[in-house]
Amino acid sequence: MYSILMVASILQGYFMGLRIESLAGRKQAKYWMITSILISLVILGFFKYYDFFIQSVHEAAHLSLPMLSIALPMGISFYTFHIISYVIDVHRGDIKAEKSLINFMAYSTLFPQLVAGPIVRYADIAEQLHNRKHSLEQIYCGSRRFLVGLSKKVLLANSFGLLVAHFRASEDKSILFFWIYAAAYTLQIYYDFSGYSDMAIGLGQIFGFRFLENFQYPYIAKSITEFWRRWHISLSSWFRDYVYIPMGGNRVSKQRQIFNLLVVWMLTGLWHGAAWNFILWGLYFAVLLILEKFCLFKSKLWIPSVLSLVYVLVLVMISFVLFNAENLNQAMEDIRGMFGLTGIKAVTQETLYYFRSYSILLSIGVISATPVAGKLYRRVIKGKVGSSVAVVIEPAVLVCLLLVITGYLVDGSFNPFLYFRF
């Protein structure tokens, strides 16, 4: 059934795109674009948000309405956004409508990035859909990128996920344990999602596609504004170009800009999941971005880089605690625990045990989230000797890495992909 739904969504985007192009310059083109967007949003809203809406009405008005309780169609958030951006770009005249149905279906459902992104725009791969180049070098580079992503996911994200699970199961939590949990989940979601993005980019490269980068070391950002230029770049730029700027962007009054930012970030939170904690997560970032835009940046107050990093990391960790909570009560309890407002001890023996057990992993996770390792590697291979050695050593290291990852996958069963649910 979900395959039929996907095909129907793609067909309407394909034929609407052709229709919009044939009516270019006329009012009817805009009506067809709006119709296509509404069809896509109605399908997405029905499957992803219907139960959330009904439950919210039920809690607010005490009405007993039937719930659907159906599984979310795989990749619906991503292919819906692909189709919406496509028809808008055709209407704007930024791209030509795709004449080949096969190519349009390939664009909408490219399997490397269908289930967890990044969100690819038609304009970025239109040429590659028609003329792709394949080479052994591309296959090798794509395989290397895929292995890097897989190692991020299996070796780092899954290990941090186990620490998060230990925290949730603990009956002896402390303030320090709450912060360790916040740090572990912040690292888990980064390595989970950036790892998947690396795998998608690597697989795409193997098949001759070049997808844009989705992460640029977000945890070295010195402001929340910069953080969102580095985190899930394809999503934040999508909302900027297809929602924020059409609403007026920065060309409107201050009050209207604030309203626009609140709407855009509420939608960003809602895109991540049909729950109030995701909406509050989006609004949390809206408030921070508004404060930076209209207060912090305007004051031109010089802040040391270390303090800027701490400022961003603390606020981001709090945001992901809210993001990961099962409900608002758990989110508030976790945040209160981080600041010692629940009457718990600062540290316990159990906390020290987990801190010692995971200290090396946490250190590796923190260092690997910076450009240090990449810069060091590039400096080594820049020299003649280093590049010659890398030609021999690198494939051997990649094979060893694959064997280690395989061992982890065979031995363990804890492999949740956090972004698959979105």
Side-chain angles (χ1 to χ4, degrees):
M1 175 187 169
Y2 289 165
S3 298
I4 296 172
L5 177 72
M6 182 190 293
V7 170
S9 298
I10 293 168
L11 286 177
Q12 73 84 13
Y14 171 74
F15 287 111
M16 291 291 189
L18 293 173
R19 185 66 177 156
I20 291 165
E21 187 177 64
S22 70
L23 295 169
R26 301 181 194 173
K27 278 187 177 179
Q28 293 93 323
K30 188 173 185 179
Y31 299 148
W32 284 108
M33 178 194 70
I34 292 172
T35 303
S36 176
I37 293 172
L38 286 176
I39 291 172
S40 294
L41 291 179
V42 166
I43 294 172
L44 178 67
F46 179 76
F47 283 94
K48 189 169 181 177
Y49 301 107
Y50 178 85
D51 280 356
F52 168 66
F53 176 75
I54 292 298
Q55 187 175 359
S56 299
V57 170
H58 172 74
E59 291 173 356
H62 303 289
L63 297 175
S64 182
L65 299 172
M67 307 274 278
L68 289 178
S69 300
I70 56 175
L72 186 66
M74 188 177 69
I76 189 170
S77 298
F78 291 97
Y79 70 70
T80 298
F81 272 37
H82 289 172
I83 294 168
I84 290 176
S85 64
Y86 168 77
V87 295
I88 292 175
D89 285 346
V90 171
H91 178 259
R92 287 173 175 172
D94 294 340
I95 57 172
K96 296 284 185 186
E98 175 58 62
K99 302 296 185 297
S100 165
L101 178 59
I102 299 297
N103 281 342
F104 186 73
M105 295 186 88
Y107 156 69
S108 304
T109 61
L110 271 177
F111 79 91
Q113 43 77 52
L114 176 63
V115 291
I119 299 169
V120 177
R121 301 187 194 186
Y122 178 80
D124 294 330
I125 62 165
E127 180 62 30
Q128 298 161 40
L129 285 167
H130 294 272
N131 298 298
R132 287 191 302 283
K133 292 180 180 177
H134 303 273
S135 67
L136 287 176
E137 184 183 2
Q138 265 191 308
I139 293 173
Y140 174 76
C141 291
S143 303
R144 180 179 59 189
R145 186 67 183 268
F146 179 85
L147 271 178
V148 169
L150 188 61
S151 63
K152 279 184 179 179
K153 165 60 190 159
V154 176
L155 304 182
L156 295 175
N158 285 2
S159 300
F160 287 121
L162 283 174
L163 180 53
V164 168
H166 288 313
F167 168 81
R168 281 287 171 225
S170 173
E171 297 291 336
D172 191 23
K173 295 184 177 70
S174 65
I175 297 172
L176 179 59
F177 208 176
F178 273 101
W179 281 99
I180 292 173
Y181 154 69
Y185 185 73
T186 300
L187 290 168
Q188 182 194 1
I189 194 167
Y190 169 65
Y191 286 114
D192 184 282
F193 193 26
S194 71
Y196 185 86
S197 292
D198 286 338
M199 285 188 269
I201 291 170
L203 277 174
Q205 197 169 358
I206 291 172
F207 290 102
F209 290 98
R210 289 193 177 276
F211 301 146
L212 298 179
E213 295 294 333
N214 209 23
F215 288 87
Q216 289 286 352
Y217 301 107
Y219 295 153
I220 64 168
K222 294 175 182 154
S223 68
I224 296 300
T225 306
E226 185 184 353
F227 171 79
W228 275 104
R229 288 179 186 145
R230 294 172 174 270
W231 177 277
H232 203 169
I233 298 167
S234 62
L235 179 69
S236 50
S237 61
W238 195 99
F239 273 104
R240 179 198 63 204
D241 294 343
Y242 298 107
V243 182
Y244 182 66
I245 291 177
M247 290 178 73
N250 297 332
R251 308 182 307 277
V252 293
S253 66
K254 181 179 176 181
Q255 291 77 11
R256 182 56 193 263
Q257 281 186 58
I258 292 173
F259 173 76
N260 291 348
L261 284 168
L262 288 169
V263 170
V264 167
W265 285 95
M266 184 190 73
L267 294 175
T268 302
L270 195 60
W271 180 89
H272 282 84
W276 285 106
N277 61 309
F278 290 118
I279 295 174
L280 285 180
W281 178 78
L283 291 174
Y284 169 86
F285 275 112
V287 171
L288 293 176
L289 291 167
I290 289 167
L291 288 174
E292 285 191 351
K293 187 180 181 69
F294 295 106
C295 300
L296 189 61
F297 289 169
K298 278 202 166 181
S299 69
K300 296 184 179 177
L301 181 67
W302 180 79
I303 301 174
S305 295
V306 174
L307 287 182
S308 297
L309 285 171
V310 172
Y311 152 76
V312 172
L313 289 175
V314 169
L315 291 177
V316 168
M317 281 196 285
I318 292 171
S319 80
F320 283 133
V321 167
L322 175 61
F323 187 92
N324 190 42
E326 292 181 2
N327 51 56
L328 288 181
N329 288 336
Q330 187 184 70
M332 292 302 108
E333 190 68 15
D334 289 344
I335 292 171
R336 289 175 66 224
M338 291 171 71
F339 293 97
L341 301 177
T342 57
I344 57 175
K345 295 178 183 177
V347 62
T348 64
Q349 287 300 318
E350 185 178 348
T351 301
L352 291 176
Y353 168 77
Y354 283 116
F355 181 69
R356 283 193 291 265
S357 301
Y358 281 88
S359 56
I360 294 177
L361 179 70
L362 286 165
S363 301
I364 293 172
V366 170
I367 294 170
S368 300
T370 71
V372 172
K375 281 183 179 177
L376 187 62
Y377 179 72
R378 285 191 291 276
R379 182 173 294 181
V380 169
I381 63 171
K382 197 174 180 180
K384 192 174 180 180
V385 176
S387 62
S388 300
V389 173
V391 169
V392 179
I393 296 295
E394 188 181 273
V397 171
L398 291 175
V399 170
C400 291
L401 192 59
L402 179 60
L403 292 174
V404 172
I405 291 168
T406 305
Y408 267 75
L409 288 173
V410 171
D411 185 57
S413 59
F414 189 80
N415 296 300
F417 263 117
L418 299 181
Y419 256 73
F420 274 18
R421 58 180 163 158
F422 305 133

